Amino acid sequence: QVQLVESGGGEVQAGGSLTLSCTVSTWTSNSYFVAWFRQAPGKPQRKGVACIMVPDGSLWYTDSVVDRFTISQDNTKNTVVLQMNNLEPEDTGIYFCAADFRPGMRLAAESYKYWGQGTQVTVSS
């Protein structure tokens, strides 16, 4: 049973930074994808923010976070980190990490089978 556990998050003022971590346990494949999704307040959709192929290192970002967010991997800890800089109020939401062997679309929520519990990020203006 694959489990994803997120940590990090919190509240920060606009322009600040936060770091989210996602630890993936009991993965049986040598290669997989991990992505971060944001669910904005009052909205059911989960929008893809960033994705990384483990251990290959290929990256994907949604346009709104390019040059502000960085996704990376720590293979020794089976952890994927999302570093978020220059945060904006529009970045507020619940952030979920998700994993799958071969997601059809790297930043589409419906492509991912395994999900973490989510962590709250609040950016105040």
Side-chain angles (χ1 to χ4, degrees):
Q1 180 71 21
V2 176
Q3 292 184 325
L4 286 76
V5 179
E6 298 120 335
S7 60
E11 186 169 355
V12 67
Q13 289 189 330
S17 299
L18 286 172
T19 303
L20 305 181
S21 296
C22 175
T23 300
V24 182
S25 66
T26 63
W27 197 267
T28 59
S29 172
N30 292 329
S31 174
Y32 57 96
F33 295 77
V34 177
W36 285 95
F37 292 83
R38 176 176 64 236
Q39 184 174 354
K43 296 185 178 181
Q45 302 91 345
R46 297 180 182 182
K47 180 179 178 182
V49 173
C51 173
I52 186 169
M53 181 178 179
V54 179
D56 174 81
S58 296
L59 307 174
W60 294 263
Y61 294 97
T62 193
D63 288 346
S64 64
V65 306
V66 170
D67 295 330
R68 299 191 300 123
F69 291 11
T70 302
I71 189 170
S72 61
Q73 60 182 313
D74 182 347
N75 291 336
T76 62
K77 300 180 181 179
N78 291 336
T79 299
V80 169
V81 175
L82 184 67
Q83 177 65 42
M84 305 185 294
N85 298 325
N86 194 20
L87 282 160
E88 303 170 351
E90 293 74 20
D91 296 318
T92 294
I94 302 173
Y95 281 71
F96 297 88
C97 70
D100 206 290
F101 297 101
R102 288 186 301 274
M105 298 177 66
R106 306 290 186 253
L107 296 178
E110 60 267 27
S111 295
Y112 288 81
K113 180 177 180 179
Y114 304 101
W115 290 82
Q117 79 285 358
T119 185
Q120 178 69 44
V121 170
T122 302
V123 184
S124 57
S125 58

